[in-house]
Amino acid sequence: MILELQRATHATLQVLSARLVDLDLTPSELNALGNLADGTGRTVSELGAAVGSRPTTLTGVLDRLERRGLITRGARPGDRRAVLITLTDDGVATAAVITRAIADLEAETLAGLPASAVEGALAVLRALTR
Amino acid sequence: MILELQRATHATLQVLSARLVDLDLTPSELNALGNLADGTGRTVSELGAAVGSRPTTLTGVLDRLERRGLITRGARPGDRRAVLITLTDDGVATAAVITRAIADLEAETLAGLPASAVEGALAVLRALTR
DNA sequence: TATTGTTATACTCTATAACTATA
DNA sequence: TATAGTTATAGAGTATAACAATA
């Protein structure tokens, strides 16, 4: 099961990055934008927890995204230590492309499977996440 | 689903690497040894296909594993261009520890789930791998 | 004193291209 | 000519520790 999990994740990432190659973003950059896609701002720590990276790693990722005009770094009201990451208009558009690609791939691969299999898979994935 | 998949993979790798920290191996090194665990020799290309790495990446990984006495590089009969990767006795023992840790984690997390959920999960993972 | 984010450092992973030795 | 593996190079991800600003 765990080996299949790794394989499936790897294959999925391969397909996604191939479909999104025109965006010219690294996997970490795609991951960060995808997590910000709902339009809600997040601090560096919150984003790090969501994408599974340390603040020290995110600094470089966010530097590149900021340089390309996809995000902005602002202050969080109430705590001037925290940095609030927000998508720019360009960032929102790019994040939408990523979200759409994920939804499309998911719909394609799950199309032929019974609902019970999908439910079972979600149960297993959540058990593994704990 | 795909987001859950990424999360589950990430969480699983975190737990495994924490449990195997005493081995002092990087994720790629663990992956390579785990794939060689059945004791069958593989060429660099075959191993690369199995673990999802390029030969150019594996060279460095294999260098370190060889330096630590866990694998040997030999010639493949019939084609002297190919390099056959084989586990040493130490490598076999280390690979067994990795295999055991994976089996244990899998047994623990799937223990409370109905067989139908596990079957459904396998079906979904295989659909995603295609 | 503790926390947030950044910087510094060192190592690992990845991708591309060039190289060698074999085929 | 083509293939298997290595080397060279540069960019990107990771971990640890140290640091400045703020709490």
Side-chain angles (χ1 to χ4, degrees), chain A residues 1 106 109-128 130, chain B residues 1-2 4-5 110 112-125 128:
Chain A
M1 169 65 76
E106 184 165 324
T109 52
L110 300 184
L113 295 170
S116 61
V118 178
E119 281 168 30
L122 282 175
V124 168
L125 293 179
R126 287 185 188 132
L128 286 167
R130 243 172 273 144
Chain B
M1 168 66 75
I2 288 179
E4 295 278 353
L5 179 75
L110 300 184
L113 294 170
S116 61
V118 178
E119 281 168 31
L122 282 174
V124 168
L125 293 179
L128 286 167

Side-chain angles (χ1 to χ4, degrees), chain B residues 18-125:
Chain B
R19 291 191 186 184
L20 295 171
V21 70
D22 287 349
L23 296 181
D24 192 27
L25 295 166
T26 67
S28 281
E29 291 162 3
L30 290 172
N31 200 2
L33 285 181
N35 260 278
L36 291 165
D38 64 8
T40 308
R42 283 165 180 70
T43 66
V44 175
S45 298
E46 288 164 353
L47 185 58
V51 302
S53 296
R54 315 265 166 141
T56 189
T57 302
L58 278 181
T59 295
V61 174
L62 296 174
D63 283 349
R64 293 191 296 273
L65 292 177
E66 189 178 30
R67 214 178 303 135
R68 290 179 54 167
L70 299 173
I71 63 153
T72 58
R73 284 193 246 226
R76 160 135 112 184
D79 188 343
R80 280 189 298 176
R81 294 173 305 181
V83 171
L84 194 66
I85 310 299
T86 314
L87 292 175
T88 63
D89 289 348
D90 269 9
V92 169
T94 304
V97 172
I98 298 168
T99 302
R100 166 57 73 96
I102 293 174
D104 286 351
L105 176 59
E106 184 165 325
E108 290 165 25
T109 53
L110 300 184
L113 294 170
S116 61
V118 178
E119 281 168 31
L122 282 174
V124 168
L125 293 179

Side-chain angles (χ1 to χ4, degrees), chain A residues 1 27 34 50 56 78 92 108 126 129:
Chain A
M1 169 65 76
T56 190
V92 170
E108 289 165 27
R126 287 185 188 132
T129 304

Side-chain angles (χ1 to χ4, degrees), chain A residues 26 28 53-54 56-57 61 64 78-81:
Chain A
T26 68
S28 281
S53 295
R54 314 264 167 145
T56 190
T57 302
V61 174
R64 293 191 295 276
D79 189 343
R80 280 188 300 178
R81 293 173 305 181

